[in-house]
Amino acid sequence: MRYPDRIQAGRELAAALSEMQRTEELPDPLVLALPRGGVPVADEVARALHAPLDVLVARKIGLPGRPEYGVGAIAGEDPPVFDQTALEMLGLTEDRLSSTVAHERTEMHRRQDLYRGNRPEPRIEGRTVILVDDGLATGVTARAALRYLRRQRPGRLVLAVPVGSPQAVQALSHEADTVVCLQQPAVFEAVGLWYEHFPQISDAEVTEALHLTTAR
């Protein structure tokens, strides 16, 4: 079943997480969106859980000439996380991707500065951290983000998405304490195919959402 848009997907995901909050408790929750597409989804989750919303900027490392095909990702100042199986299949080495990594790290810093401004980074240690995106294809970006967060010692680390490939969900179940994925279609192909309306999210929409959440 396709979602009408990211907002409706976020509401359905929020309902599942609200039920989890009632039955299991999610103490001191913090909702982190993977921008840009994860922000509208995460905003609905944060509203439902009465939790603060922030972003974790992670960048996909794309295949040269095919940037949409992710073979790795970076988060924070951590070293890149690569899909070694994909690299071997494509005959690529990490060294051949060094210029792509440098470019994506520069873009990551630009977005961090733009989205965060003078706001300090949120406290992670000891909290229930819920990482949200609009979907999981390969899951490599979420993997880099989860490993970055894990090193900051959250009390509980939850990955929450409306839709994802079964393979990615299974792989990431070893990275997060809990993975909440509402739909896992056997034939996945791409995240956007599971939304009727799937526009690009602008930097302005991200910064507006973060501004509004601090005003709530």
Side-chain angles (χ1 to χ4, degrees), residues 43 137 196:
D43 189 35
E196 294 175 13

Side-chain angles (χ1 to χ4, degrees), residues 39-155:
V39 172
V41 182
D43 189 35
E44 297 297 326
V45 171
R47 289 173 187 271
L49 300 183
H50 304 288
L53 170 68
D54 212 313
V55 293
L56 171 56
V57 182
R59 293 292 297 170
K60 178 171 61 179
I61 301 166
L63 185 66
R66 290 183 58 193
E68 74 284 355
Y69 187 94
V71 294
I74 52 173
E77 298 307 315
D78 287 359
V81 173
F82 287 104
D83 183 336
Q84 295 296 335
T85 301
L87 293 185
E88 291 174 11
M89 289 177 58
L90 296 164
L92 284 173
T93 63
E94 295 182 15
D95 288 344
R96 283 186 59 189
L97 295 167
S98 59
S99 62
T100 304
V101 172
H103 171 78
E104 295 299 342
R105 202 174 289 280
T106 298
E107 176 62 13
M108 181 182 70
H109 289 153
R110 182 195 73 82
R111 293 194 185 194
Q112 286 174 336
D113 292 342
L114 177 63
Y115 301 157
R116 176 147 284 111
N118 295 323
R119 288 186 301 109
E121 292 189 5
R123 175 179 56 85
I124 302 298
E125 185 173 359
R127 304 184 76 169
T128 300
V129 178
I130 304 167
L131 182 69
V132 178
D133 204 356
D134 54 12
L136 293 174
T138 65
V140 67
T141 305
R143 179 179 291 112
L146 289 167
R147 290 183 181 180
Y148 171 75
L149 291 169
R150 181 68 77 187
R151 278 188 274 275
Q152 298 181 62
R153 297 182 293 183

